[in-house]
Amino acid sequence: EAQVTQNPRYLITVTGKKLTVTCSQNMNHEYMSWYRQDPGLGLRQIYYSMNVEVTDKGDVPEGYKVSRKEKRNFPLILESPSPNQTSLYFCASSLKGGRTYTQYFGPGTRLTVL
Amino acid sequence: GNSVTQMEGPVTLSEEAFLTINCTYTATGYPSLFWYVQYPGEGLQLLLKATKADDKGSNKGFEATYRKETTSFHLEKGSVQVSDSAVYFCALSESEAGGTSYGKLTFGQGTILTVHP
């Protein structure tokens, strides 16, 4: 089954404790990205990757890191999480990044930073 | 920059009622337009899309027409069901290779729809 998976689905942590949210897709997609969803703001892009070893900032990259060492995986790293990073995070992928390509979303990771 | 504005929610309807969720956009170029749906506890699923003016996207009884002259992409369904209860997001993509918005979806704030039996 074609899908985007994320782990963990739920995470409660404390300020400053490094964490990684994993994202994996099995569709051989070139393009992957991370979004955060906050009430009243919709989804906002954090980082994206056009292909292996090619990443770039989205609209709200502060406090986050990413890496793309393999085509299927695109982990999101919070080196020193803060309470304002409490949010619902979605990973997405598409065949390419062009305007006509459909992006497929993972199930989401709900992160709480205390 | 690009932006998407959706009608304020939440929207509450009775089963079999007609649904309209308004969406207007601002874009510097020629975007593709999307409606995504998020069912409770799940990720976003593409509901429908349109990539050029006057295109009509349709799926599961939902429709939306790309209106370039009014910069709108309103979502409609003739008869809603309880199972349509979800959050609906309008979004646009105006990505150009190498551009700063490459592949990015710009979302509206979402509209919560609740359908009662």
Side-chain angles (χ1 to χ4, degrees), chain B:
Chain B
N2 298 338
S3 66
V4 175
T5 302
Q6 289 181 233
M7 66 183 286
E8 293 288 334
V11 175
T12 303
L13 296 173
S14 298
E15 207 165 25
E16 299 184 4
F18 184 85
L19 168 70
T20 299
I21 301 178
N22 290 338
C23 171
T24 57
Y25 68 89
T26 302
T28 53
Y30 197 167
S32 292
L33 302 173
F34 304 83
W35 277 101
Y36 279 85
V37 58
Q38 183 178 30
Y39 297 104
E42 298 184 14
L44 278 76
Q45 303 174 24
L46 178 70
L47 183 58
L48 53 85
K49 73 177 187 181
T51 59
K52 60 183 188 297
D54 300 324
D55 266 3
K56 178 186 283 187
S58 61
N59 185 26
K60 300 181 181 180
F62 291 89
E63 292 183 340
T65 301
Y66 189 140
R67 301 288 188 201
K68 194 164 188 283
E69 63 276 12
T70 55
T71 61
S72 64
F73 193 54
H74 305 321
L75 182 68
E76 297 182 335
K77 187 175 185 182
S79 177
V80 294
Q81 306 299 311
V82 172
S83 57
D84 293 327
S85 298
V87 183
Y88 292 82
F89 290 94
C90 185
L92 69 82
S93 177
E94 195 189 23
S95 55
E96 296 294 333
T100 56
S101 64
Y102 187 66
K104 183 176 74 175
L105 284 166
T106 298
F107 285 88
Q109 71 271 35
T111 301
I112 301 171
L113 171 66
T114 303
V115 181
H116 291 299

Side-chain angles (χ1 to χ4, degrees), chain A:
Chain A
E1 180 189 354
Q3 59 182 349
V4 179
T5 57
Q6 294 178 228
N7 282 292
R9 294 289 311 277
Y10 302 91
L11 179 59
I12 300 175
T13 189
V14 295
T15 299
K17 185 176 181 182
K18 180 179 179 179
L19 65 92
T20 300
V21 183
T22 64
C23 172
S24 183
Q25 50 90 7
N26 63 0
M27 296 171 277
N28 202 34
H29 284 171
E30 288 185 356
Y31 184 89
M32 298 185 74
S33 61
W34 277 100
Y35 292 84
R36 59 177 288 172
Q37 182 183 4
D38 300 292
L41 297 177
L43 282 80
R44 295 174 292 167
Q45 192 183 55
I46 303 170
Y47 268 95
Y48 67 92
S49 169
M50 290 191 284
N51 214 324
V52 176
E53 301 292 0
V54 183
T55 63
D56 208 345
K57 298 176 181 178
D59 290 330
V60 287
E62 294 77 22
Y64 304 95
K65 285 176 57 178
V66 293
S67 69
R68 187 92 181 272
K69 298 191 188 312
E70 305 166 284
K71 199 170 187 179
R72 63 183 294 129
N73 296 324
F74 190 46
L76 179 70
I77 303 156
L78 285 71
E79 296 257 348
S80 183
S82 62
N84 64 12
Q85 293 178 298
T86 293
S87 188
L88 180 57
Y89 292 87
F90 289 101
C91 181
S93 74
S94 62
L95 191 60
K96 293 184 185 296
R99 58 186 279 279
T100 61
Y101 291 92
T102 297
Q103 293 197 31
Y104 297 88
F105 284 78
T109 295
R110 186 167 292 282
L111 172 65
T112 301
V113 183
L114 303 175

